[in-house]
Amino acid sequence: RAKSTATNTICFYDPSMDQMARERNALAMEMRSGLQAGEFELFYQPQIDAVTSKVIGYEALLRWRHSRRGMVAPSEFIPVAERSGFIAELGEWVLRTACAEAATWGNPLCIAVNVAAQQLTDNKLPAIVGEILTQTGLDAKRLELEITESSLIADQQHALHVIRQLKRLGVKIAMDDYGTGYSSLSTLQTFPFDKIKIDRAFVEDVASSRQSAAIVRSTLILASSLDIPVLAEGVETEEHIDFLRREGCPQVQGFLFGKPMPRDAIDAVVNRNVKAEAPEVDAA
Ligand code: C2E
Ligand code: MG
Ligand code: MG
Ligand code: MG
């Protein structure tokens, strides 16, 4: 009995948790100054038409080039930004930067932007997106907002209200990481998605696991009956793309076709065809 009390006492005060909270606070503060200092940037990963292998758009993925820590992964800082509330400001910066960048492209490709749960429950999001579209001049139908299922569970009615307003602006809504949430099917029933992105956990194993293959196959059938295009994430090998093409998956994204790249690297690609087709300008 004495022993169990002692154990409880240890659980009651855990200095390592205190330490973790301190580190999170420090990181949250560094994020604010990092945004001011221009340490954040967007990388862009191509999204591909599975039939033609042509680029149809890019997903913007946030990167933090920290002055001391080096490149910090989004999985490390996005959760901290969400907890501290800084995600609202950071997310708005991401939207504005991605839309401004896409507006300069010679080819009117789509730009997909990840939106966090807290942004989605903010009543101001549709107004913010509308203002960014006006200011950057980006055509609304080129913008796709990627949201995960977990960001929809908290307050479904509220999220639905915000999503409907966003769709009225003309932007598209994609369900990210499909299949990893608690109730993917009921989310499909409730929300008007324009795209389903199958999580890479399923794609990874399509060649080796009957279960994963069956899940991907049945998702493709389900989505096609609902008239929702599917994009398979995390396509890394020829085996993956062969399976997906055979099963009629319309869109893919993954290291096989391109890793997330800095802006300069894609600028040449998104303007290449346009430059080649543009008439020669007489220098005189
Ligand atoms: P996500 O939206 O599902 O993005 C796909 C992630 O998978 C990216 O990781 C990408 O680099 C990675 N990926 C793409 N193709 C492959 C592949 O073939 N193999 C493997 N192993 N990985 C691949 P990243 O950039 O580290 O981002 C991780 C997550 O962080 C994103 O998952 C998204 O949930 C979140 N995130 C990134 N940028 C933002 C942002 O601007 N705002 C918000 N709210 N979340 C973001
Ligand atoms: Mg995404
Ligand atoms: Mg995803
Ligand atoms: Mg993800």
Side-chain angles (χ1 to χ4, degrees):
R1 177 172 287 204
K3 197 174 180 188
S4 85
T5 309
T7 310
N8 287 342
T9 312
I10 289 163
C11 289
F12 184 69
Y13 179 72
D14 182 349
S16 73
M17 274 170 66
D18 220 43
Q19 178 66 24
M20 271 161 62
R22 262 201 301 276
E23 274 169 23
R24 267 203 309 273
N25 286 338
L27 203 63
M29 270 164 61
E30 285 178 44
M31 253 186 273
R32 286 179 196 279
S33 54
L35 187 62
Q36 295 298 318
E39 289 177 1
F40 285 90
E41 68 177 273
L42 294 180
F43 273 32
Y44 298 87
Q45 186 181 30
Q47 301 187 325
I48 309 289
D49 180 314
V51 177
T52 63
S53 295
K54 285 213 168 104
V55 175
I56 48 181
Y58 286 90
E59 176 176 3
L61 293 158
L62 189 55
R63 297 289 180 267
W64 183 10
R65 269 185 222 276
H66 191 282
S67 44
R68 275 177 302 105
R69 300 175 199 253
M71 197 68 109
V72 189
S75 57
E76 284 180 54
F77 66 82
I78 300 246
V80 180
E82 285 181 321
R83 273 173 188 248
S84 67
F86 182 58
I87 194 70
E89 193 179 334
L90 189 60
E92 185 173 336
W93 180 88
V94 169
L95 270 164
R96 196 175 296 278
T97 307
C99 290
E101 167 66 9
T104 69
W105 295 346
N107 286 339
L109 301 169
C110 288
I111 178 76
V113 178
N114 294 285
V115 168
Q118 265 177 61
Q119 291 176 272
L120 198 68
T121 49
D122 181 356
N123 279 321
K124 293 193 293 296
L125 185 65
I128 291 169
V129 171
E131 182 265 321
I132 289 173
L133 291 171
T134 308
Q135 220 213 353
T136 59
L138 186 78
D139 189 349
K141 61 174 184 289
R142 292 177 57 198
L143 177 61
E144 185 161 74
L145 303 180
E146 297 193 358
I147 59 187
T148 59
E149 225 176 349
S150 49
S151 61
L152 298 171
I153 48 174
D155 188 346
Q156 290 221 352
Q157 284 315 306
H158 194 186
L160 187 58
H161 176 71
V162 173
I163 286 171
R164 285 197 175 124
Q165 283 180 286
L166 287 166
K167 290 199 66 159
R168 244 174 261 140
L169 291 172
V171 310
K172 297 191 181 72
I173 308 291
M175 182 188 220
D176 206 350
D177 303 347
Y178 179 81
T180 60
Y182 287 107
S183 177
S184 304
L185 294 178
S186 85
T187 320
L188 281 188
Q189 187 184 36
T190 310
F191 295 94
F193 292 110
D194 300 290
K195 187 183 284 185
I196 293 170
K197 298 187 74 177
I198 301 184
D199 193 77
R200 85 174 134 84
F202 303 105
V203 175
E204 202 170 31
D205 296 336
V206 282
S208 56
S209 147
R210 275 183 54 210
Q211 285 80 3
S212 294
I215 289 166
V216 171
R217 196 178 284 128
S218 58
T219 300
L220 286 165
I221 294 168
L222 172 66
S224 136
S225 333
L226 294 170
D227 264 325
I228 308 174
V230 171
L231 180 148
E233 297 190 278
V235 177
E236 292 185 352
T237 67
E238 292 295 338
E239 271 181 323
H240 294 160
I241 188 65
D242 288 347
F243 175 90
L244 292 162
R245 283 192 173 128
R246 215 165 42 237
E247 299 298 334
C249 180
Q251 298 175 13
V252 290
Q253 178 178 353
F255 294 169
L256 184 65
F257 295 94
K259 292 198 168 173
M261 290 167 285
R263 195 184 88 179
D264 290 352
I266 66 144
D267 267 355
V269 183
V270 293
N271 294 312
R272 188 193 296 148
N273 297 341
V274 177
K275 275 183 193 141
E277 283 160 22
E280 293 281 313
V281 178
D282 196 341

